[in-house]
Amino acid sequence: RPGYTARAIVGNERADAVGFDLAMVEVLPTADEARVVGHLGPDPLAADWDAAEAARRVGADSRPVHVALLDQRNVAGLGNVYANEVLFVRGILPTTPGTDVDAPALIDTAARMIRTNRDRSRRVFTGDARPGRGMWVYGREAKPCRRCGTLVRGGALGARPTAERNVFWCPVCQR
Ligand SMILES: [Zn+2]
């Protein structure tokens, strides 16, 4: 990724992790860590990943499922690109209440997407890693759906008016 998109580099003697295009960075002493991450839900990249618990939390959340997926108390690590792409792949409208979706299937797909993309420099959801081909709907408002040709729609959803995120969906493929 271009260096100018890097926002933070966190490293130790074994590895460096670069955060690109980060919306928010908070630096704090280790002793205060629990205050920030103590509430996190199951993490698909953690050794103790609990898919059933993540599905239970998302499936019990009556807010729009796009909002439920981004709430890190339900499942940790899913960003806005993942929420948009996994909802397309599962054929779910972003406004559908979390209580009305097949949460175990949704969480299973999301976890597989995160693991598949973990070691790639660029996230790919379509299976086509060529530049500009990797996303189904994210950032593709008014472009033809890659599956059915209908124009992709764009909007915003959020838990609060100050926390709205860009949402993209195909009105035919996602019901
Ligand atoms: Zn479509």
Side-chain angles (χ1 to χ4, degrees):
R1 302 277 296 272
Y4 69 85
T5 64
R7 294 293 175 266
I9 302 174
V10 179
N12 61 20
E13 54 285 343
R14 286 176 291 129
D16 287 324
V18 182
F20 293 101
D21 296 326
L22 302 175
M24 190 175 79
V25 174
E26 189 173 355
V27 179
L28 68 163
T30 303
D32 295 343
E33 206 172 73
R35 177 173 64 76
V36 181
V37 297
H39 63 279
L40 289 182
D43 179 349
L45 294 179
D48 62 349
W49 163 236
D50 187 343
E53 177 60 17
R56 190 193 66 74
R57 294 185 189 196
V58 170
D61 194 326
S62 60
R63 294 176 297 172
V65 65
H66 185 269
V67 174
L69 283 175
L70 287 179
D71 189 327
Q72 305 293 302
R73 294 170 296 186
N74 289 336
V75 53
L78 282 181
N80 194 35
V81 174
Y82 280 92
N84 278 285
E85 293 293 299
V86 75
L87 290 173
F88 174 85
V89 168
R90 299 300 319 179
I92 300 167
L93 268 182
T95 49
T96 309
T99 45
D100 290 354
V101 306
D102 182 348
L106 178 61
I107 289 299
D108 178 66
T109 303
R112 283 189 288 129
M113 284 177 164
I114 285 190
R115 292 203 204 94
T116 303
N117 278 315
R118 171 167 46 183
D119 298 322
R120 288 177 172 153
S121 59
R122 182 192 301 131
R123 290 167 291 192
V124 175
F125 299 92
T126 58
D128 187 339
R130 287 175 290 178
R133 308 277 189 108
M135 308 275 183
W136 289 107
V137 288
Y138 185 84
R140 300 194 63 249
E141 182 175 5
K143 293 181 178 161
C145 172
R146 297 189 195 279
R147 185 178 284 159
C148 76
T150 305
L151 297 187
V152 170
R153 302 249 177 100
L157 273 177
R160 301 176 306 282
T162 53
E164 290 204 322
R165 308 299 299 275
N166 293 325
V167 180
F168 304 91
W169 70 98
C170 171
V172 172
C173 294
Q174 293 171 257
R175 304 262 181 188

